[in-house]
Amino acid sequence: MKNAYVLFKRYGVALLSCAFLSATLYAAEETAPGVKGVTEEEFTPAKEVLTVKYVEMAKPYHMDVESLEGFFKDAQGVTVPLQMQDKAFPNGGGSVKSAEVKGIHDGLAIYFKVTWSDPTRNARAIAVQEFRDAVALMFPLGAVEITPAEHFSPRMGDREKPTNLWHWKADWEADLLVKGELEDMENQYPNMHDDWNFNPYSAYYHRELITSVEVLSGGRAAHNLLSQPGRGRVVEDLNAEGFGTLTTQAHQDVNGCSKYEDGTWTVIIYRSLITEDPHDVQFVPGGTTYFNMAVWNGGEQDRNGQKSISSQWHPATLERVAWQ
Amino acid sequence: MTLVHNWHLGRRMEYPYFESRPKHQFAAIFNINRCIACQTCTMACKSAWSYNKGQEHMWWNNVETKPYGGYPQSWDVKTLKLIDNGENTWYTDEKDEKLSPYGVYEGDTIFEAAAKKNINQWAVGYIPEDKEWRAPNFGEDVAKSNKPDEYSSLPEHSRWFFYIQRICNHCTYPGCLAACPRKAIYKRKEDGIVLIDQKRCRGYRKCVEQCPYKKPMYRGLTRVSEKCIACYPRIEGRDPLTKGRPMETRCMAACVGQIRLQGFLDDNPKNPVTWLIRHDKLALPLYPQFGTEPNIYYIPPRWAPRAYLRQMFGPGVDEAIEKFMVPSRERLAVMSLFRMTQTIIFEYKIEEGPKVFETTIHGKKFELFNDTVIGYGEDGQEIVRTTIEEPVHIRDPKHYNSI
Ligand code: SF4
Ligand code: SF4
């Protein structure tokens, strides 16, 4: 028996690889190991259309939720059902069941308001076990009509079917509020440089260490946007064409603001309708585009593929500008 | 999943990518028997690569005390639990020098356990919390006492502890690399060094979670993860000191106890590292059952209980200790190369010398020859020459009191 086991371990591979090869030939939709193909329904967009309402607005001095919320008063929202991400490893998420999306534009910029309930506010990702709350909107890049024939995956797009993603992060908002625009180690671990905190002037005593030039700054030296202080924004502008391809754009155009109250996140994400960046989605009043979205619940350790997703594209039509 | 061959396990195993071995593999041998836990290696690394902000908790090299110590705390116990299916045994009746030198592992690897548990990720793992990373040697020098009132004697001490020196293993099948959903981790074809691309990393901490050795570390300041880089500029020979030849890493070169020898695993039987690992089987992988084919090899401590060591280094332990206690002529010669130079040795040659004495060790005859061993660099040039007997220098009486 033991001998047979060893023989199998040694020669079984030839047999298994034959089986594996024929399996891969049949499963043409199987894009990569750990990835399941998208089903037919997922290539069909949702029926309900989000009307991005035209509103005349004088841009408020403070671009915060309080100042912007009022403009969404007459906008009709859609409720986007969310589910666990179960197609690409690592699977996960699913703790947020739905989110409401509203859209407005003023002929110059487009604003999306997303609200969802989350019992915990997770706005820091400094400790190794802490993950941020986040939300992302995704748009197909270029003039695309989402139909079942088009086979445009609502899950991060596909090769030669690129998407533009706007990723809002709760901790980027917190970063904006501190000196240097990046929450630092001391924010998470006050007096971390003292084993025994006998020194009442710890920060002064260790000032050289605390303010030292970061020679070995890893992600910062590599120009990773996540590592940069002073980003000046809370939404990251990205592209993707399939799982694992998410890439920060060289040119960042999107911004936003948020509010967390009574267990509900309200996030407003905005950008000018038209940009000069060929990697950006463009919006035309009177035209229709599609969006999809995902929500991350930091309290549930959500990040990357561990997220609550919508498995369908949603049409969004921009109202025409009402010229006087 | 594809099937790849893991010679530590003596069998094929599932892994998300195809088998792709580097030209030669970064590897090292640590002789546990000689380590004094001075942490010079730890500080050599720290002062080179992780002295900056956000890296306060990072010890890419650390030395911990077994059985109680661990950085992060209890990392190995926790990971062993995750792969435990009650039958993590080895079949050792049949061995193949090349394919299964230690026999065949019949339990689950971190990859197989994940597939069996259907957890929809590549490997089982966990993320240690910040408080678990507080110090590089928790439980320092805490001994385990089975029979506290008895004196200890070989072959197994009843009261024991030992030090284990840990860096990233630059695994052949890295758990960290498998786990990364963005392919931000890569293994270099030229030397098998495993690196995290600091630009592609998005701080998901999947590598922190799925490296069974817990060697990728999250840096809160930059919001991305970092890990041991095997001092790659030195390996590439970019330090002027070795004149363009590959140079050993900081932790190896600094070792006070002279326990470390670094090199590359290749097919050359006269490469000291390859010889000690593949031919002599004196040095063993750490927790081979995890399935990543780690490339740091250990000469197990001869006084610790064998069952514990077998769990830690696999079934090759008894043979390795036996060999270490009564070293052969060639073994003694190769082991004399430890810490003789920081230029990486690619080949050795032994010139035979006279017999110096003979004795009996643990009932076995032992003869000592004063052989000369010569180490050659990558370019075939002689870089070091030493003898088994260390030369004795007698100080001139007029210098007795001078320094
Ligand atoms: S420098 Fe050498 S002897 Fe000292 S702790 Fe490190 S491995 Fe052990
Ligand atoms: S020890 Fe861990 S971090 Fe290093 S290569 Fe192996 S799996 Fe990756």
Side-chain angles (χ1 to χ4, degrees):
Chain A
M1 187 54 223
K2 288 276 185 189
N3 277 340
Y5 178 71
V6 172
L7 276 177
F8 173 75
K9 292 271 177 192
R10 219 166 280 165
Y11 303 110
V13 71
L15 233 135
L16 281 170
S17 49
C18 287
F20 177 75
L21 264 178
S22 48
T24 36
L25 287 179
Y26 280 107
E29 286 282 320
E30 196 84 8
T31 42
V35 175
K36 292 193 199 103
V38 175
T39 58
E40 278 309 303
E41 307 89 270
E42 300 194 351
F43 289 122
T44 315
K47 291 223 168 54
E48 201 179 357
V49 180
L50 172 72
T51 305
V52 179
K53 197 167 174 52
Y54 170 73
V55 285
E56 265 182 69
M57 57 192 280
K59 224 173 165 192
Y61 183 70
H62 289 294
M63 293 294 277
D64 54 18
V65 174
E66 282 68 27
S67 319
L68 291 168
E69 218 167 12
F71 297 111
F72 287 88
K73 191 164 57 13
D74 300 324
Q76 194 67 42
V78 296
T79 301
V80 178
L82 302 173
Q83 64 180 64
M84 168 190 180
Q85 191 284 113
D86 59 355
K87 291 282 193 232
F89 278 12
N91 295 178
S95 61
V96 181
K97 303 289 177 225
S98 71
E100 195 202 40
V101 182
K102 283 184 173 185
I104 56 169
H105 76 94
D106 63 353
L108 294 171
I110 188 163
Y111 301 77
F112 289 98
K113 184 176 107 167
V114 191
T115 41
W116 73 95
S117 68
D118 176 346
T120 52
R121 177 178 179 271
N122 301 92
R124 196 178 275 167
I126 294 178
V128 60
Q129 68 274 20
E130 279 186 347
F131 296 90
R132 59 175 73 90
D133 289 335
V135 63
L137 295 175
M138 174 174 75
F139 309 92
L141 203 55
V144 182
E145 175 92 31
I146 301 286
T147 64
E150 182 65 26
H151 266 222
F152 201 119
S153 171
R155 298 171 184 258
M156 314 283 291
D158 227 326
R159 213 169 286 175
E160 316 224 324
K161 293 194 171 140
T163 57
N164 181 197
L165 299 102
W166 300 352
H167 191 272
W168 169 89
K169 299 169 188 61
D171 61 327
W172 279 26
E173 193 114 12
D175 283 341
L176 276 189
L177 303 176
V178 297
K179 199 170 142 238
E181 284 194 22
L182 188 80
E183 280 206 316
D184 212 326
M185 301 311 290
E186 299 87 45
N187 295 93
Q188 176 73 26
Y189 306 106
N191 301 324
M192 67 180 295
H193 299 291
D194 295 298
D195 277 355
W196 310 97
N197 188 22
F198 294 144
N199 191 330
Y201 307 110
S202 154
Y204 178 76
Y205 187 74
H206 293 292
R207 67 196 177 282
E208 262 177 49
L209 183 70
I210 291 169
T211 57
S212 66
V213 181
E214 274 131 333
V215 188
L216 283 177
S217 46
R220 202 173 288 180
H223 302 294
N224 189 328
L225 191 60
L226 292 158
S227 317
Q228 303 302 325
R231 301 176 205 100
R233 60 186 70 246
V234 300
V235 182
E236 192 180 1
D237 198 357
L238 307 119
N239 290 108
E241 34 175 37
F243 299 120
T245 64
L246 191 65
T247 305
T248 311
Q249 286 192 2
H251 202 274
Q252 295 289 312
D253 301 284
V254 194
N255 212 338
C257 51
S258 72
K259 185 176 81 176
Y260 182 80
E261 219 171 62
D262 305 328
T264 302
W265 273 112
T266 304
V267 175
I268 296 174
I269 303 178
Y270 53 86
R271 204 204 71 187
S272 57
L273 291 177
I274 306 288
T275 67
E276 284 177 8
D277 189 344
H279 303 297
D280 281 349
V281 58
Q282 308 297 344
F283 300 95
V284 184
T288 294
T289 185
Y290 297 86
F291 74 92
N292 200 4
M293 64 174 300
V295 173
W296 287 263
N297 181 355
E300 291 288 328
Q301 309 253 300
D302 281 2
R303 76 274 196 194
N304 77 95
Q306 292 161 282
K307 59 188 171 184
S308 301
I309 57 150
S310 141
S311 62
Q312 267 179 317
W313 289 106
H314 297 263
T317 302
L318 277 71
E319 275 188 0
R320 286 182 188 283
V321 175
W323 300 108
Q324 278 155 356
Chain B
M1 287 272 186
T2 66
L3 284 173
V4 294
H5 187 81
N6 181 325
W7 66 267
H8 292 172
L9 307 183
R11 64 171 172 87
R12 294 189 168 85
M13 61 159 208
E14 290 183 341
Y15 189 69
Y17 300 104
F18 287 108
E19 182 168 345
S20 166
R21 289 175 187 271
K23 198 169 108 244
H24 55 209
Q25 169 65 50
F26 172 94
I29 298 171
F30 295 171
N31 182 359
I32 292 178
N33 295 275
R34 300 188 61 165
C35 177
I36 52 172
C38 61
Q39 307 281 1
T40 312
C41 48
T42 307
M43 289 316 296
C45 175
K46 185 97 183 142
S47 60
W49 303 117
S50 65
Y51 57 83
N52 241 286
K53 236 182 160 184
Q55 298 178 309
E56 292 82 356
H57 65 299
M58 282 191 198
W59 304 96
W60 293 354
N61 178 104
N62 79 292
V63 178
E64 58 197 49
T65 310
K66 288 294 165 200
Y68 296 119
Y71 163 80
Q73 269 170 301
S74 312
W75 63 275
D76 49 351
V77 181
K78 288 183 177 178
T79 308
L80 286 168
K81 265 196 192 139
L82 290 172
I83 60 162
D84 186 10
N85 65 7
E87 297 169 28
N88 295 50
T89 51
W90 291 78
Y91 170 66
T92 52
D93 289 358
E94 242 180 284
K95 290 172 190 165
D96 179 296
E97 268 315 302
K98 208 167 152 29
L99 296 172
S100 54
Y102 314 129
V104 178
Y105 173 59
E106 293 175 317
D108 291 332
T109 64
I110 54 165
F111 309 108
E112 291 159 350
K116 270 197 192 160
K117 289 181 184 165
N118 223 345
I119 51 174
N120 292 316
Q121 58 181 38
W122 292 116
V124 289
Y126 75 101
I127 296 184
E129 292 194 0
D130 47 4
K131 58 176 188 283
E132 295 169 60
W133 299 91
R134 276 169 308 172
N137 191 3
F138 274 113
E140 182 168 0
D141 293 6
V142 179
K144 174 150 176 52
S145 291
N146 294 339
K147 298 172 194 146
D149 39 348
E150 259 179 36
Y151 283 112
S152 286
S153 62
L154 286 174
E156 275 180 33
H157 287 182
S158 58
R159 188 180 308 158
W160 59 280
F161 69 81
F162 63 88
Y163 303 120
I164 181 139
Q165 313 72 28
R166 304 208 310 114
I167 67 170
C168 162
N169 290 287
H170 298 277
C171 305
T172 305
Y173 304 115
C176 60
L177 185 149
C180 181
R182 298 179 51 69
K183 301 193 179 74
I185 303 185
Y186 60 104
K187 186 170 175 69
R188 309 206 306 183
K189 195 72 192 167
E190 60 270 36
D191 49 21
I193 291 173
V194 177
L195 298 171
I196 302 179
D197 182 334
Q198 292 292 294
K199 176 129 195 183
R200 271 201 75 68
C201 177
R202 287 185 68 81
Y204 294 154
R205 287 156 265 178
K206 299 308 289 184
C207 55
V208 181
E209 180 182 80
Q210 289 169 50
C211 163
Y213 301 96
K214 298 292 165 243
K215 279 297 171 186
M217 294 157 202
Y218 181 64
R219 184 167 177 184
L221 181 75
T222 58
R223 325 284 201 252
V224 292
S225 299
E226 297 179 358
K227 66 178 279 300
C228 158
I229 58 169
C231 294
Y232 70 80
R234 290 166 68 106
I235 301 291
E236 290 167 5
R238 286 200 261 142
D239 190 302
L241 203 63
T242 51
K243 303 190 179 74
R245 297 190 188 110
M247 186 188 203
E248 290 190 330
T249 66
R250 288 269 296 165
C251 60
M252 314 279 172
C255 179
V256 169
Q258 307 203 334
I259 81 146
R260 296 177 177 223
L261 178 73
Q262 190 211 311
F264 296 103
L265 256 178
D266 57 15
D267 296 331
N268 180 4
K270 289 293 164 200
N271 175 327
V273 167
T274 308
W275 189 80
L276 284 171
I277 296 166
R278 297 289 333 231
H279 297 265
D280 201 37
K281 289 185 274 180
L282 181 67
L284 303 169
L286 174 63
Y287 293 118
Q289 62 269 47
F290 290 162
T292 63
E293 216 191 279
N295 288 302
I296 303 298
Y297 293 81
Y298 296 84
I299 303 176
R302 61 201 174 113
W303 62 89
R306 295 295 167 87
Y308 185 83
L309 294 179
R310 278 183 216 116
Q311 166 171 271
M312 193 169 242
F313 303 107
V317 159
D318 301 273
E319 191 187 323
I321 292 180
E322 197 84 346
K323 285 180 166 170
F324 178 70
M325 295 214 294
V326 193
S328 71
R329 192 168 175 176
E330 184 160 11
R331 191 175 308 129
L332 208 56
V334 177
M335 286 181 68
S336 304
L337 289 171
F338 276 61
R339 296 274 37 79
M340 282 297 128
T341 170
Q342 53 182 332
T343 308
I344 293 178
I345 302 170
F346 281 71
E347 196 169 280
Y348 69 89
K349 203 176 90 190
I350 299 168
E351 279 172 6
E352 295 197 345
K355 182 153 132 184
V356 185
F357 78 88
E358 63 174 58
T359 183
T360 317
I361 306 176
H362 299 290
K364 288 212 180 91
K365 186 173 163 198
F366 171 75
E367 295 174 310
L368 186 82
F369 297 88
N370 192 18
D371 295 337
T372 303
V373 51
I374 310 155
Y376 300 93
E378 192 181 29
D379 48 7
Q381 298 279 319
E382 177 180 327
I383 47 174
V384 67
R385 177 181 285 260
T386 186
T387 52
I388 302 295
E389 282 213 305
E390 290 194 8
V392 177
H393 300 282
I394 297 179
R395 196 179 271 203
D396 190 317
K398 82 170 183 227
H399 292 306
Y400 273 163
N401 286 324
S402 56
I403 302 169

